[in-house]
């Protein structure tokens, strides 16, 4: 499979690309994020203006944790590595993070398209949100029947960050729908280059008015 197929798959929902993006985010979002007002907010995000000014998502990506994995692995090994990497910044035991990521994946897969996964969970506390970016050229096996994942965006946030959580999901969906994303992602030569692929992408941005 290929990430390029996400655009064709998404457009089967509707001829309008914004509506297609909304269906992608709605399908991916965990149950904790599902409310009527949240769905309205997602539509607002998706239809906001494209601009070059950096938003909060870009700034988080600039400072995100990055894993460039060299060997294929199963999701259990991947989540264990992710949990150990993110635990300090979230001030949480890695074992609890690991259990939550595994539980979320058992409820419904976070594989959004061939080659792409967006594992995301809600944790206790307030005003916490963290992103980890992972590339694995040889692939992470999330399910036996699906192609291996080589682009994973792991997001962990508290419930009060629900709107931003949905905004981040919307941003990622827009970024990976670019037909050039896959090639840029696989050719990036460093962690900072992976971050730049995401930050430099054209997408809708909601800029906070000063």
């Amino acid at each position: 499979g290929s990430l390029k197929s996400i655009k064709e798959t998404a457009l089967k929902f509707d001829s309008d690309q914004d509506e297609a993006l909304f269906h992608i985010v709605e399908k991916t979002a965990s149950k904790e994020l599902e409310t009527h007002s949240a769905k309205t907010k997602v539509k607002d995000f998706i239809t906001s203006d494209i601009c070059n000014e950096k938003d909060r998502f870009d700034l988080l990506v600039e400072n995100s944790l990055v894993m460039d994995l060299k060997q294929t692995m199963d999701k259990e090994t991947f989540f264990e590595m992710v949990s150990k990497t993110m635990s300090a910044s979230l001030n949480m035991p890695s074992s609890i993070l690991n259990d939550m990521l595994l539980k979320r994946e058992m409820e419904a897969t976070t594989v959004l398209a061939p080659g792409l996964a967006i594992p995301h969970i809600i944790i206790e506390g307030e005003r916490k949100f963290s992103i980890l970016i992972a590339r694995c050229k040889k692939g992470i096996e999330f399910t036996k029947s699906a192609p291996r994942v080589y682009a994973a965006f792991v997001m962990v946030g508290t419930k009060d960050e629900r709107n931003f959580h949905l905004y981040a999901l919307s941003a990622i969906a827009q970024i990976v729908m670019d037909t050039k994303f896959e090639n840029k992602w696989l050719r990036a030569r460093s962690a900072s280059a992976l971050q730049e692929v995401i930050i430099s992408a054209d997408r809708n941005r909601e800029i906070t008015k000063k």
Side-chain angles (χ1 to χ4, degrees):
S2 166
L3 285 182
K4 292 178 182 178
S5 66
I6 187 173
K7 192 165 188 175
E8 295 177 4
T9 302
L11 290 177
K12 289 179 182 177
F13 287 107
D14 197 284
S15 58
D16 180 78
Q17 185 164 311
D18 288 343
E19 189 67 20
L21 276 165
F22 172 74
H23 282 293
I24 291 173
V25 176
E26 185 179 40
K27 180 181 178 182
T28 309
S30 61
K31 292 179 180 178
E32 295 96 327
L33 301 176
E34 292 179 356
T35 65
H36 177 72
S37 61
K39 290 180 180 181
T40 301
K41 196 70 175 176
V42 169
K43 287 193 173 182
D44 290 342
F45 292 153
I46 290 171
T47 57
S48 58
D49 294 332
I50 293 177
C51 67
N52 294 321
E53 185 179 346
K54 289 182 179 178
D55 61 3
R56 182 186 174 191
F57 178 79
D58 291 320
L59 297 175
L60 274 172
V61 170
E62 279 186 346
N63 297 287
S64 64
L65 299 163
V66 181
M67 295 170 55
D68 196 4
L69 306 169
K70 307 303 180 185
Q71 300 297 327
T72 187
M73 62 186 66
D74 55 29
K75 65 177 180 291
E76 289 79 10
T77 302
F78 174 63
F79 286 148
E80 184 177 355
M81 293 176 68
V82 166
S83 300
K84 289 178 179 177
T85 303
M86 299 186 79
S87 63
S89 62
L90 293 166
N91 194 28
M92 284 183 66
S94 60
S95 58
I96 293 177
L97 269 177
N98 187 48
D99 288 346
M100 293 180 73
L101 286 165
L102 286 171
K103 182 180 179 181
R104 169 67 181 89
E105 198 65 30
M106 289 175 65
E107 290 173 353
T109 183
T110 58
V111 176
L112 179 58
L116 170 71
I118 312 179
H120 55 285
I121 55 172
I122 304 296
I123 60 172
E124 297 293 328
E126 295 181 341
R127 301 171 67 180
K128 288 184 180 181
F129 197 90
S130 186
I131 296 175
L132 180 143
I133 300 164
R135 176 177 68 176
C136 184
K137 288 184 178 181
K138 294 187 177 181
I140 304 162
E141 188 179 89
F142 272 66
T143 67
K144 297 289 185 183
S145 58
R148 289 175 178 173
V149 166
Y150 52 85
F153 300 83
V154 183
M155 300 191 296
V156 180
T158 49
K159 195 170 184 178
D160 59 325
E161 292 282 6
R162 174 166 48 200
N163 283 346
F164 182 73
H165 206 128
L166 290 166
Y167 180 77
L169 281 171
S170 303
I172 293 169
Q174 292 174 74
I175 290 165
V176 301
M177 282 182 73
D178 183 344
T179 55
K180 297 179 181 178
F181 171 79
E182 181 182 355
N183 185 52
K184 290 179 180 178
W185 182 257
L186 294 176
R187 289 170 63 88
R189 295 187 176 184
S190 64
S192 60
L194 289 169
Q195 292 167 318
E196 185 58 27
V197 169
I198 300 166
I199 294 167
S200 63
D202 288 332
R203 62 177 178 83
N204 301 2
R205 285 173 168 82
E206 183 185 64
I207 303 300
T208 303
K209 300 296 186 297
K210 296 181 180 179

